[in-house]
């Protein structure tokens, strides 16, 4: 999906954005993982991914043709990272029962060759049909697979599948762009009669907070 020059450009820009000398980086996985977020606000190169003509039909197939973007972010898995904790994505992760259709779908755009050694994503095939999500600290499963795929590929999956980044036992950071989308729940007639205030509340006008500022509680 991505050419060598696009991969280099994304990788360089993401590593620049990841620099946070003021300590405000969003770290995870024992401080060896870093999310770089709000990427649609960080250059047209990122905007281009959101409606990539080769990806849109797959998202439409999984989520319906009125699906919406949730986040465009990036996950950097540094050397020394352990296996991450298994999870399902967002709201789906906190629901029990088997969803009758995908509610959310995730796409990882590989900016490195993914391998079992460098933090390639792990998945438990068929786990979108499990009645429960993983326990919070669960980081292994007997049926797990570790993704092996060349850089430039896109890994697309139902967000209810148990997944997590793998351990990085190499000396180079493993980087992926993550375009995460959801099913829309608003009926067209509800959108059509919404007042400006309701449209704002529904999120049509929503603007993310500036980068890496704590969310107001
Ligand atoms: O970076 C990865 O390999 C996994 C990302 C992930 O777990 C997620 O986006 O929910």
């Amino acid at each position: 999906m991505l050419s060598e020059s696009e991969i280099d450009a994304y990788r360089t820009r993401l590593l620049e954005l990841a620099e946070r000398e003021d300590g405000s980086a969003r770290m995870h996985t024992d401080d060896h993982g870093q999310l770089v977020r709000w990427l649609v606000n960080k250059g047209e190169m990122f905007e281009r991914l959101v409606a990539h003509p080769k990806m849109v039909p797959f998202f439409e197939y999984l989520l319906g043709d009125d699906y919406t973007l949730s986040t465009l972010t990036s996950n950097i898995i540094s050397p020394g990272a352990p296996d991450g904790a298994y999870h399902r994505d967002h709201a789906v992760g906190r629901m029990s029962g088997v969803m009758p259709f995908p509610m959310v779908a995730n796409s990882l755009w590989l900016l490195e060759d993914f391998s079992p050694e460098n933090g390639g994503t792990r998945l438990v095939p068929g786990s979108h049909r499990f009645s429960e999500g993983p326990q919070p600290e669960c980081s292994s499963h007997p049926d797990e697979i570790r993704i092996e795929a060349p850089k430039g590929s896109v890994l697309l999956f139902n967000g209810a599948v148990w997944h997590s980044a793998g351990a990085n036992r190499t000396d180079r950071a493993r980087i992926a762009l993550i375009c995460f989308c959801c099913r829309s729940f608003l009926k067209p007639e509800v959108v059509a009669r919404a007042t400006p205030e309701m449209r704002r509340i529904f999120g049509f006008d929503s603007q993310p907070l500036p980068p890496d500022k704590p969310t107001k509680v």
Side-chain angles (χ1 to χ4, degrees), residues 11-24:
R11 199 186 144 87
T12 304
R13 179 73 181 124
L14 285 167
L15 287 171
E16 276 168 16
L17 289 166
E19 290 289 331
R20 284 276 181 272
E21 284 167 10
D22 62 358
S24 63

Side-chain angles (χ1 to χ4, degrees), residues 182-217:
C182 358
R183 193 172 282 276
S184 167
F185 289 90
L186 282 176
K187 292 181 175 171
E189 62 269 28
V190 177
V191 177
R193 63 176 175 254
T195 63
E197 184 184 38
M198 285 166 72
R199 287 181 66 84
R200 181 185 62 77
I201 293 169
F202 286 146
F204 283 100
D205 307 329
S206 74
Q207 294 290 321
L209 295 172
D212 293 338
K213 290 284 182 319
T215 307
K216 202 163 53 175
V217 277

Side-chain angles (χ1 to χ4, degrees), residues 2 6-7 10-11 14 74 109-114 151-153 172 175-177:
L2 298 176
E6 287 172 310
I7 292 168
Y10 282 120
R11 199 186 144 87
L14 285 167
S74 163
W109 300 62
L110 279 48
L111 303 184
E112 307 290 331
D113 292 340
F114 268 28
K151 62 184 169 187
S153 313
R172 183 178 160 92
I175 308 183
L177 284 157

